[in-house]
Amino acid sequence: MSDSLVIARRNVIRMTRIPEMLIFGLIQPIMFVVLFSYVFGGSINVPGAGLSAPGYREFLMAGIFAQTVTFATAGAGAGIADDMHKGLIDRFRSLPMARGAVLTGRTLADLVQTVLTLVVLAVVAVLVGWRTHENFGKVLAGFGLLLLLGYAFSWIGALIGLSVRTPEAATSGGLIWLFPLTFVSNAFVPAANMPAFLETIANWNPFSATVQASRQLFGNLPEDYPVPDAWPMQHPVWASLIWSVLIILVFRTLAVRKYRRADG
């Protein structure tokens, strides 16, 4: 843990010295908030809220938050690939430190950046009309689940970064699978509007579970919103926790093993 915190500190300091990394990372989610709110608001029928633009904004924001934390995966993978490409990882390998610390430190630093991004995004969301309707503890729990999902996905990014040769390939590899994952979900439209087979996929999507759990904890589900019968949608908080912990366990193990094999 001590070694991991040293590496995390190194990456956080690097972020402060290259502020454009954080600025450019904020532009895309802010654009999504504004565009989806005003372009699709009032055009998409949300059960229980109808075609109400304010109702859609409240339905939308959990999806935008979740998309933002998962898209940080590409940055995590690109950062690790860049360190490997420049030979920095080889320098770390020569030091008497835990092998998993390099990856753990990197993912913790990415989590810090994700927290900052979510804070800014929440402010923008409030400005366009998003509101929560639950107590402060539940709202914090909703953001906690979002951050846990983002941390879990950063381990997928770490594995991708270790598996490719260039940062450009890591960025492409980190995004190509995220688009179907985030759009075949309940993030932007109700899953009930999809064909039956896509609805089933969306209801069991780990991304959908976190979005549904956040909406529930934020109080952003309309009173008459029909909850699907799938277990993850009936128990979204538990489903979100289980999915996130499972992803961390699997992909951290794979990433650290990949790092050690490269070391050997």
Side-chain angles (χ1 to χ4, degrees):
M1 182 57 69
S2 176
D3 293 343
S4 298
L5 292 176
V6 170
I7 298 296
R9 181 174 177 272
R10 171 255 174 188
N11 283 288
V12 170
I13 291 174
R14 182 170 177 264
M15 289 177 195
T16 62
R17 293 177 180 173
I18 312 176
E20 55 267 27
M21 291 175 59
L22 182 60
I23 293 172
F24 290 145
L26 286 170
I27 291 176
Q28 179 179 313
I30 290 174
M31 287 176 58
F32 269 112
V33 170
V34 176
L35 290 175
F36 272 80
S37 295
Y38 292 104
V39 174
F40 295 106
S43 300
I44 295 179
N45 183 20
V46 177
L51 294 174
S52 163
Y56 180 67
R57 289 189 189 117
E58 292 196 355
F59 177 85
L60 169 72
M61 284 316 305
I64 294 290
F65 290 148
Q67 185 190 55
T68 300
V69 300
T70 53
F71 270 44
T73 300
I80 290 174
D82 185 51
D83 285 344
M84 292 189 67
H85 184 68
K86 291 178 178 178
L88 185 62
I89 297 296
D90 291 330
R91 298 181 186 179
F92 286 146
R93 286 172 179 160
S94 68
L95 299 175
M97 62 188 299
R99 288 294 178 257
V102 174
L103 302 180
T104 303
R106 175 75 207 196
T107 54
L108 288 175
D110 290 332
L111 183 62
V112 172
Q113 182 175 352
T114 303
V115 170
L116 296 175
T117 303
L118 272 184
V119 169
V120 175
L121 201 56
V123 172
V124 174
V126 170
L127 293 177
V128 299
W130 174 65
R131 298 292 184 271
T132 59
H133 305 285
E134 291 288 354
N135 61 60
F136 187 66
K138 286 188 176 182
V139 173
L140 280 183
F143 281 111
L145 288 177
L146 289 165
L147 290 172
L148 183 62
L149 181 72
Y151 182 70
F153 274 51
S154 69
W155 280 105
I156 302 177
L159 181 61
I160 292 172
L162 291 168
S163 303
V164 299
R165 297 183 179 180
T166 64
E168 293 79 11
T171 301
S172 299
L175 288 175
I176 194 170
W177 59 276
L178 278 173
F179 279 102
L181 184 79
T182 55
F183 281 93
V184 184
S185 72
N186 60 1
F188 308 112
V189 297
N193 294 351
M194 302 178 184
F197 75 98
L198 281 182
E199 180 183 359
T200 301
I201 294 173
N203 286 336
W204 285 88
N205 185 341
F207 184 84
S208 294
T210 300
V211 171
Q212 186 80 353
S214 298
R215 284 187 183 131
Q216 188 180 93
L217 292 169
F218 294 157
N220 287 158
L221 279 176
E223 289 184 8
D224 299 327
Y225 186 84
V227 179
D229 292 332
W231 187 87
M233 297 296 100
Q234 292 287 332
H235 308 88
V237 174
W238 281 109
S240 177
L241 284 170
I242 291 169
W243 273 119
S244 294
V245 171
L246 185 62
I247 291 170
I248 292 171
L249 291 175
V250 171
F251 284 93
R252 187 186 188 281
T253 300
L254 293 175
V256 172
R257 183 177 299 174
K258 181 80 173 178
Y259 182 87
R260 287 175 175 169
R261 286 180 178 176
D263 187 19

